[in-house]
Amino acid sequence: MARRSRRHEPESHERWLISYADFITLLFALFVVLYAMSRVDEGKYKVLGNSLNFAFGSLSLGKQGAVDPAKTVPQNEQELLLKSLVDKRNARIAEQQRKQGEAMQAMVNTLNQVMAPLVKNELVNVTQTPRGVVVDINASALFEQGEAVLQRSAARTLSAVAKVLEAGTQAIEVEGHTDDIPIFTPQFPSNWELSAARASSVVRLFIEQGVAAERLRAVGLASYHPLSSNETAEGRVRNRRVTVTILAPQKQE
């Protein structure tokens, strides 16, 4: 029998379209995956922002005004943990401030006892302020008029004060003050020199009695920080003084 001849189909020149379509499909899938991986999770960023607010004790300001932290509800365990840490930090700081306040008040009481005769005669005033313990000593209890050499009785009293301050670590400022009556002597051409010399005399005695020199600072302020008006004799007497400030410790964060 004669063989039947095969039919020859025309050759296709568009087979590359199949490979191209597969490539485009894979490329599309790749970009979908990349987009999904890089998409910003707004919810997580919101939780992070609230957590930072708790950590730093700040308030978030929105269009409606300040957010009341008391109404802020923790959204997850991380935020609860941060809030707990902040509460513990605040409690620790409050306890430190309480102890420091008690220590400074105890120093006020001790200084009042040490300088009792001068306090009774209203020549010394000891007060506690946010800046620290302030001791205002009338110049007449320390120096002769127009002089910067400590009197013997004043040196004994200040030596007892130095014993109270010796064991501490707080910085101490000693300020000299005068009234506004000008002075002009070979030793003190103006009230600036007189006030500075008086402050330096007190600082020098403190150092001799064992107070660390690096804790001390002497400042002469002349007549420019009066307690009373210089228009009266009583006011001028009150303005002539030496102020010793035992600075409160810096707040710890």
Side-chain angles (χ1 to χ4, degrees):
M1 294 179 61
R3 291 184 178 179
R4 186 179 297 178
S5 60
R6 295 181 179 177
R7 295 180 59 185
H8 295 279
E9 297 180 358
E11 184 178 357
S12 174
H13 298 286
E14 297 182 353
R15 292 180 58 85
W16 62 273
L17 287 174
I18 299 174
S19 299
Y20 178 76
D22 291 341
F23 174 75
I24 292 298
T25 301
L26 292 173
L27 191 62
F28 175 75
L30 173 64
F31 279 110
V32 169
V33 171
L34 292 176
Y35 174 76
M37 293 174 62
S38 63
R39 185 180 178 184
V40 176
D41 190 334
E42 296 181 0
K44 290 184 178 180
Y45 272 94
K46 184 176 181 181
V47 171
L48 175 61
N50 291 335
S51 299
L52 291 175
N53 284 338
F54 274 113
F56 292 100
S58 61
L59 297 177
S60 299
L61 296 179
K63 296 181 179 179
Q64 302 298 326
V67 177
D68 185 354
K71 298 180 180 178
T72 304
V73 179
Q75 297 180 1
N76 51 36
E77 294 182 1
Q78 290 84 356
E79 190 168 335
L80 284 170
L81 176 60
L82 285 171
K83 185 177 185 301
S84 174
L85 293 175
V86 171
D87 290 342
K88 289 180 180 179
R89 183 202 64 177
N90 292 338
R92 185 181 70 254
I93 293 174
E95 179 65 14
Q96 289 174 346
Q97 292 176 351
R98 184 188 66 80
K99 290 182 178 180
Q100 290 172 3
E102 291 179 351
M104 300 302 276
Q105 184 58 52
M107 182 177 294
V108 170
N109 297 336
T110 303
L111 290 173
N112 275 321
Q113 293 174 3
V114 169
M115 310 180 80
L118 296 177
V119 173
K120 183 178 180 180
N121 293 327
E122 298 184 349
L123 295 174
V124 170
N125 184 39
V126 184
T127 56
Q128 183 178 1
T129 71
R131 193 163 181 260
V133 175
V134 179
V135 184
D136 280 316
I137 311 172
N138 193 277
S140 63
L142 301 175
F143 310 100
E144 296 290 344
Q145 186 172 357
E147 297 295 332
V149 178
L150 286 167
Q151 301 181 59
R152 184 172 300 178
S153 59
R156 287 196 298 267
T157 301
L158 290 178
S159 295
V161 172
K163 296 304 178 184
V164 176
L165 304 179
E166 180 183 1
T169 59
Q170 304 96 328
I172 302 170
E173 292 183 355
V174 181
E175 300 171 347
H177 301 268
T178 67
D179 57 28
D180 64 349
I181 297 177
I183 184 174
F184 185 75
T185 66
Q187 188 176 6
F188 305 115
S190 72
N191 282 321
W192 287 107
E193 287 81 7
L194 176 60
S195 62
R198 286 180 167 179
S200 297
S201 293
V202 175
V203 164
R204 187 164 55 251
L205 183 141
F206 283 168
I207 294 173
E208 291 172 353
Q209 296 299 318
V211 180
E214 59 269 19
R215 296 172 54 199
L216 294 160
R217 183 174 73 166
V219 183
L221 297 175
S223 61
Y224 295 98
H225 296 268
L227 293 177
S228 300
S229 171
N230 282 302
E231 298 298 323
T232 65
E234 293 79 7
R236 290 192 295 272
V237 168
R238 191 176 180 216
N239 291 334
R240 296 192 294 268
R241 69 196 190 279
V242 171
T243 300
V244 179
T245 303
I246 301 95
L247 299 178
Q250 295 293 323
K251 294 181 179 179
Q252 300 181 7
E253 297 297 335

